[in-house]
């Protein structure tokens, strides 16, 4: 039977299926179940600085309103109560880490440069095996050029790497002008891996209500083509490990990701739609495909269909796009 083990961020995983940051990590029993069903690793949902700021402000507002009602209430809140900051999340990460033996990664989304460092250090102290930087900035300020945004990301990664000794992955947005440049800069900054790509929920408009409508929509398998192309383009051109993310829905999708050059995949939607036992289904399908093809290990075919290794090196670039357009009647 084929050996599915892989190395990601310098850590050996028993297979390349990583449960992506999602609400699956809201429950310890689900984390335990994911391990029992064979997951190679799991990323805990992000620690969001903005969420903490929001909760702290809501609490402060409540305390102030209570204090204005009557002096008795004010005294009942004395000495002043303070919001615990990231403490609750850190305790959660620590509890999750202790519950299982598979590698557990934390994810951080901060806003202020100082907080990135402070929270990264605190997350490392929970005992996690690695840290995922979930950097997301919606660039709406016409005075800030893209280069500034990349520079800010790279500086944060360099500072986080100086602060922690665990491996660090960067979950990339698919919207950079030059993904290849960003990855090269992250490599120089000391990152260990990139996750390609994060999937952002886009707001919609309800025409009946003529209002904003935010609904949770899972990814579709078609969405895998974008990260697949970029992993295939970057294989052999970066030393960073690549975890392919978005649209991985089957065991054969994992095989595709490895053929393109990925070290691992991250999966959320397929597991949330089909339930955690689907982890075993996906792994069995990957195993079956490898057995059928006669592959013993992932290294036997990793990067086989990357840009570097195919006969037509322009196949992943624009030439293929133009040829396809021309062939349509
Ligand atoms: C319910 C839900 C919660 C998520 N929470 C996070 C999160 O906290 N941090 C993060 O980086 N990504 C989060 N994601 C994004 C996933 O980690 C993943 O990048 C995305 O869903 C694409 O993978 P998929 O196609 O397998 O769903 C979340 C996704 C879902 C569906």
């Amino acid at each position: 039977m084929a050996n599915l083990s892989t190395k990601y961020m310098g850590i050996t995983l028993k297979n390349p299926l990583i449960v992506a940051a999602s609400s699956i990590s809201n429950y310890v029993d689900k984390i335990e179940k994911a391990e029992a069903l064979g997951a190679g690793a799991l990323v805990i949902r992000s620690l969001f600085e903005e969420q903490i700021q929001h909760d702290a402000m809501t609490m402060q507002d409540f305390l102030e309103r209570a204090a204005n009602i009557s002096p008795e209430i004010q005294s009942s809140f004395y000495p002043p109560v303070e919001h615990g900051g990231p403490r609750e999340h850190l305790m959660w990460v620590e509890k999750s880490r202790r519950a299982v033996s598979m590698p557990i990664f934390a994810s951080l989304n901060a806003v202020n440069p100082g907080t990135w460092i402070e929270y990264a250090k605190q997350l490392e102290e929970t005992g996690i095996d690695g840290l995922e930087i979930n950097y997301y900035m919606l660039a709406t300020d016409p005075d800030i050029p893209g280069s500034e945004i990349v520079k800010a990301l790279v500086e944060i990664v360099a500072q986080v790497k100086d602060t922690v000794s665990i491996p660090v992955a960067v979950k990339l947005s698919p919207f950079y002008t030059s993904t290849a440049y960003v990855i090269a800069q992250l490599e120089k900054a000391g990152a260990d891996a990139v996750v390609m790509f994060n999937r952002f929920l886009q707001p919609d408009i309800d025409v009946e209500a003529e209002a904003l409508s935010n609904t949770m929509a899972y990814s579709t398998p078609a969405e895998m083509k974008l990260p697949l192309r970029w992993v295939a383009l970057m294989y052999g051109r970066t030393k960073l490990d690549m975890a392919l993310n978005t649209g991985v829905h089957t065991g054969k999708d994992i095989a595709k990701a490895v053929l393109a050059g990925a070290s691992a995949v991250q999966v959320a939607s397929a597991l949330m739609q089909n339930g955690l036992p689907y982890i075993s289904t996906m792994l069995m399908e990957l195993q079956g495909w490898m057995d059928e093809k006669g592959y013993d290990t992932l290294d036997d075919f990793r990067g086989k269909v990357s840009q570097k290794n195919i006969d037509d090196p322009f196949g992943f670039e624009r030439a293929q796009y133009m040829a396809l357009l021309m062939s349509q009647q």
Side-chain angles (χ1 to χ4, degrees):
M1 212 159 68
N3 172 1
L4 300 186
S5 76
T6 190
K7 239 187 176 164
Y8 175 62
M9 295 212 264
I11 300 168
T12 302
L13 312 185
K14 68 179 176 193
N15 65 63
L17 196 162
I18 301 174
V19 178
S22 65
S23 43
I24 293 171
S25 58
N26 286 354
Y27 307 91
V28 167
D29 62 335
K30 285 197 177 173
I31 298 174
E32 288 170 341
K33 204 169 166 194
E35 177 174 55
L37 289 160
L42 176 140
V43 187
I44 296 177
R45 69 183 145 83
S46 303
L47 167 56
F48 289 102
E49 183 186 1
E50 276 171 307
Q51 182 70 47
I52 289 172
Q53 287 171 336
H54 173 264
D55 292 352
M57 261 161 31
T58 309
M59 183 172 158
Q60 190 59 32
D61 186 46
F62 168 77
L63 290 175
E64 278 168 16
R65 273 189 287 124
N68 287 334
I69 295 171
S70 78
E72 289 80 32
I73 293 179
Q74 185 173 21
S75 65
S76 72
F77 283 110
Y78 201 81
V81 183
E82 259 191 22
H83 186 266
R87 220 171 301 149
E88 195 182 327
H89 187 91
L90 295 168
M91 281 163 61
W92 179 251
V93 174
E94 198 171 342
K95 188 174 173 185
S96 308
R97 172 53 295 172
R98 268 197 260 114
V100 287
S101 54
M102 69 178 159
I104 292 285
F105 305 120
S107 166
L108 174 59
N109 176 294
V111 186
N112 299 298
T115 318
W116 278 104
I117 313 306
E118 186 191 327
Y119 286 3
K121 185 86 207 129
Q122 290 176 356
L123 283 167
E124 180 183 34
E125 283 162 8
T126 64
I128 44 149
D129 301 271
L131 178 66
E132 201 168 277
I133 301 264
N134 172 13
Y135 183 89
Y136 179 48
M137 183 184 181
L138 194 61
T140 54
D141 185 338
D143 292 326
I144 301 181
S147 54
E148 289 292 317
I149 295 166
V150 174
K151 198 166 154 236
L153 165 66
V154 172
E155 270 167 21
I156 283 160
V157 172
Q159 285 171 13
V160 167
K161 274 299 288 185
D162 279 349
T163 310
V164 300
S165 48
I166 49 173
V168 172
V170 183
K171 193 171 191 182
L172 285 182
S173 153
F175 303 126
Y176 288 109
T177 309
S178 172
T179 298
Y181 175 81
V182 174
I183 292 176
Q185 295 303 304
L186 293 173
E187 193 175 322
K188 284 188 200 154
D192 300 275
V194 274
V195 181
M196 297 155 76
F197 295 109
N198 207 344
R199 177 174 182 267
F200 304 115
L201 294 179
Q202 310 295 353
D204 200 357
I205 289 178
D206 177 337
V207 283
E208 297 313 326
E210 297 179 40
L212 194 66
S213 126
N214 282 314
T215 48
M216 175 72 225
Y218 293 120
S219 71
T220 62
E223 290 176 60
M224 187 188 167
K225 287 188 180 170
L226 179 70
L228 188 70
R229 173 187 227 172
W230 275 102
V231 168
L233 284 168
M234 294 311 299
Y235 181 74
R237 293 164 75 184
T238 177
K239 290 196 187 78
L240 302 186
D241 288 336
M242 295 182 282
L244 190 151
N245 179 223
T246 293
V248 177
H249 281 248
T250 64
K252 284 191 179 163
D253 287 346
I254 306 178
K256 271 192 206 178
V258 179
L259 281 166
S263 298
V265 296
Q266 293 199 359
V267 189
S269 294
L271 304 182
M272 297 191 69
Q273 284 172 305
N274 301 305
L276 289 176
Y278 195 63
I279 292 173
S280 321
T281 309
M282 290 177 83
L283 290 172
M284 261 155 40
E285 194 184 6
L286 172 64
Q287 188 95 55
W289 178 85
M290 284 173 68
D291 289 344
E292 208 180 288
K293 293 278 179 181
Y295 291 130
D296 296 326
T297 70
L298 299 185
D299 281 338
D300 292 347
F301 64 100
R302 196 187 318 275
K304 187 175 175 184
V305 194
S306 62
Q307 186 188 40
K308 191 181 132 194
N309 289 334
I310 56 173
D311 291 339
D312 173 11
F314 299 109
F316 282 104
E317 294 191 18
R318 198 165 157 74
Q320 174 215 37
Y321 168 72
M322 286 185 285
L324 272 177
L325 288 189
M326 304 296 248
S327 70
Q328 296 304 302
Q329 299 303 318

